[in-house]
Each structure stands twice: as C-alpha cells, then as structure tokens.
Amino acid sequence: PPRRLSSMLRRAAAPPPSNLLRAWTREMAKRAGQKAKRPQIDPTRGWVPIREKLEAVPLRLPGLQSLQVVFGRTGDGHTAARHFVRQHLAQFRYYNPDAEIFQRNSKAEERARVTVQLADSDPVEVDVTGLPHRSDVLRKVLEATKMGSADVDAAIAAAAAMREVTIDAMGYCGKTPVKTHGVRPRIVQPPPQKAAGQL
C-alpha cells in the first residue's frame, strides 16, 4: 500500500540512531589509529643477519661445477644429511654462485649421498648414510672437492660454532618453540638420563 511504502521510505532516509553512529565512529577511529602505527623494526631480520649466517663458514670452491645432495625424508641414517642441507647448502650457493647446487629428497631413498662435480675431474659420489653429525658430512664433501686440510679444518671449526638444529624433549629448537601445527614433534636430541638415585 502507498502508506506503507511511504513509511518505509521515510525510515530509510532517516539518520541512524545516535548510539550506532557513535559506535561506528569509535570503530573507524580505532582502525585509523592502528593503521597509523609504524611496525617496530626487528633486529633479527633483514640482510645483515642473513649475510652473517651465510658467511659463517668459508666454503668458496673455485673449481666446483655442481653439488647434489640426495637423502630420505625420514630415518635416523639421514638426519646428518638433512641438517647439512638445512645449515650449509645456502652457504655453498652463496660462495659458489656459478655452481649448480641442489637437493632431492623422498621417502623412498634408502641412502644419503652427495655427488660433487669439479671442473677438472669426473663426478665423485660420497655416501653419507649413518653419519652422526652434519660436520662429518661437510668434512667428507670438502675432502671430495680436494680442499686443503688446513682449509677443511677451518671450515669444520666454523661449522661447529653454528647453532644446532635440534629439537629437545620439551619441543624447543634452542630457545624457540617449534611450530608443530598440533602434531607432537619428533625428538632429535634425546632427553638427559636421570641419575640412579633420582626418581
């Protein structure tokens, strides 16, 4: 009916209630204040800490053409190879930008191995299955590249000073809690053994 239509039109044209208008104004002012705030600078991010980590271990190999790491995603015999990839593969790429450096992993891999190709020799495959630590993998790889013993020892010492990538019994990697997305983390570093007199 015309009367009902005119009533609806008047209601639509009327200004909103004052309390609703005040709430909307407060919300808009709050959002504007949040957008105006500048984010704090995180000193742990940026190019400087990334470069420090990349330059932590001297891995410049002038004759390196390619380096391929193949390992399994699971299994204790592949742990050192996985940690080697996580800690040192980016350093190899940083110091040897012209070399082809890559990794391949799958659940079907039974052996962890590193294939090194130098400019003046045939490819050399190094079996790293079951090695106890990433520094052992690094030593075998550097020896396969014919690096001098003094340079190998210097690189191993620098690698040993890097922070370990391990998960303790409480689910922490160093001082940082591991993001497990609701799944209990697999313990890499075993919990300390209690003394015989302790309960």
Side-chain angles (χ1 to χ4, degrees):
R3 185 180 297 177
R4 189 172 181 182
L5 179 60
S6 61
S7 168
M8 292 173 61
L9 291 174
R10 279 197 307 273
R11 225 178 299 159
S18 58
N19 56 352
L20 181 62
L21 184 60
R22 282 196 298 269
W24 181 82
T25 305
R26 282 196 302 268
E27 181 64 24
M28 291 296 105
K30 183 179 177 182
R31 292 184 183 182
Q34 289 176 351
K35 290 180 180 179
K37 291 181 181 178
R38 293 185 177 181
Q40 297 294 326
I41 297 176
D42 187 355
T44 63
R45 297 185 179 183
W47 172 241
V48 174
I50 293 175
R51 185 173 58 190
E52 289 176 354
K53 185 174 180 180
L54 291 173
E55 295 177 350
V57 183
L59 297 175
R60 184 174 287 105
L61 303 168
L64 184 65
Q65 283 191 341
S66 69
L67 187 146
Q68 178 185 6
V69 187
V70 181
F71 58 95
R73 295 180 189 173
T74 58
D76 294 334
H78 301 263
T79 302
R82 289 195 294 268
H83 287 194
F84 170 81
V85 167
R86 184 179 296 181
Q87 293 282 65
H88 301 301
L89 213 62
Q91 295 169 343
F92 273 102
R93 291 190 181 113
Y94 177 77
Y95 278 106
N96 308 281
D98 296 330
E100 185 179 1
I101 299 171
F102 57 98
Q103 57 95 7
R104 190 179 78 241
N105 62 83
S106 70
K107 294 182 180 179
E109 291 294 340
E110 297 181 357
R111 281 193 317 122
R113 57 194 183 274
V114 182
T115 304
V116 179
Q117 171 71 56
L118 298 177
D120 55 350
S121 62
D122 295 331
V124 178
E125 184 177 292
V126 181
D127 189 358
V128 296
T129 309
L131 292 181
H133 196 263
R134 59 178 169 82
S135 60
D136 300 315
V137 179
L138 181 61
R139 180 178 292 276
K140 282 202 165 191
V141 170
L142 293 180
E143 288 173 352
T145 61
K146 302 177 182 178
M147 180 184 277
S149 59
D151 294 334
V152 171
D153 293 338
I156 296 301
M162 294 181 64
R163 187 168 67 94
E164 292 295 331
V165 182
T166 54
I167 303 173
D168 61 17
M170 300 302 294
Y172 276 75
C173 180
K175 296 182 179 180
T176 307
V178 179
K179 295 180 180 179
T180 59
H181 305 287
V183 180
R184 185 174 177 82
R186 176 180 176 272
I187 305 303
V188 178
Q189 176 181 334
Q193 299 292 330
K194 292 184 178 181
Q198 294 180 351
L199 295 177

